[in-house]
Amino acid sequence: MDTRGGRLALVRGGSAQEFTVTLRNGNSVDHRHLLVAFQMELLVGEPGDRPGSGPGFLLERYDRTSGAWHPAELRVANDAGPLSLYTGGGPLARDAVRVERYRLRATAGGPTGSTPVVVSFVDTDTDREAAAHVLLGHSTG
């Protein structure tokens, strides 16, 4: 994971902040469908923070082929989603490296607070994590 400053510091209604996820397959198997999945818990604000009234966040993935940003799924929940519900993902051959670009924006009506974004790497053919998840620090003010 790479982002400016090592974490995301969003402002409701402000501009999106970009980050990259680098996948390195030093494994002994090729992955036909390896998905980068994102989840964060419901934000718990500090005293005086205002509750949200809208969807909260917009996550997008950059598509190199079209040169455009497209919506990506960000699950906001306080429990882990079953891996069998994830679909899609792209190939990652043995010893291959893939870099994916994302950006996250806090909507004007969303909540404030702080919780990390959990980034998981799901092999959707086997419904298993291909690597340990990582945490991306995040706060929204």
Side-chain angles (χ1 to χ4, degrees):
M1 299 275 297
D2 186 33
T3 186
R4 204 174 289 164
R7 61 179 287 113
L8 299 174
L10 303 176
V11 175
R12 290 196 312 178
S15 60
Q17 291 187 2
E18 287 190 39
F19 61 98
T20 59
V21 177
T22 302
L23 298 101
R24 291 182 179 85
N25 187 1
N27 204 335
S28 60
V29 299
D30 294 332
H31 292 285
R32 292 182 321 127
H33 298 101
L34 187 61
L35 177 72
V36 180
F38 299 90
Q39 178 173 328
M40 66 186 219
E41 292 187 355
L42 301 173
L43 290 183
V44 177
E46 298 295 323
D49 282 348
R50 296 172 296 175
S53 63
F57 299 94
L58 174 62
L59 178 68
E60 296 176 301
R61 181 179 182 276
Y62 184 74
D63 179 8
R64 290 181 196 191
T65 305
S66 68
W69 292 95
H70 298 283
E73 184 176 349
L74 171 64
R75 184 173 191 269
V76 179
N78 288 353
D79 61 346
L83 297 178
S84 61
L85 295 180
Y86 291 102
T87 60
L92 189 65
R94 281 180 282 184
D95 299 319
V97 176
R98 183 173 82 217
V99 178
E100 296 184 4
R101 286 176 57 195
Y102 294 90
R103 66 184 182 188
L104 183 63
R105 183 173 70 83
T107 62
T112 59
S114 179
T115 187
V117 178
V118 179
V119 183
S120 300
F121 310 97
V122 180
D123 182 331
T124 60
D125 291 330
T126 63
D127 297 334
R128 295 183 1 192
E129 282 193 276
H133 65 264
V134 295
L135 302 177
L136 174 59
H138 154 262
S139 63
T140 296

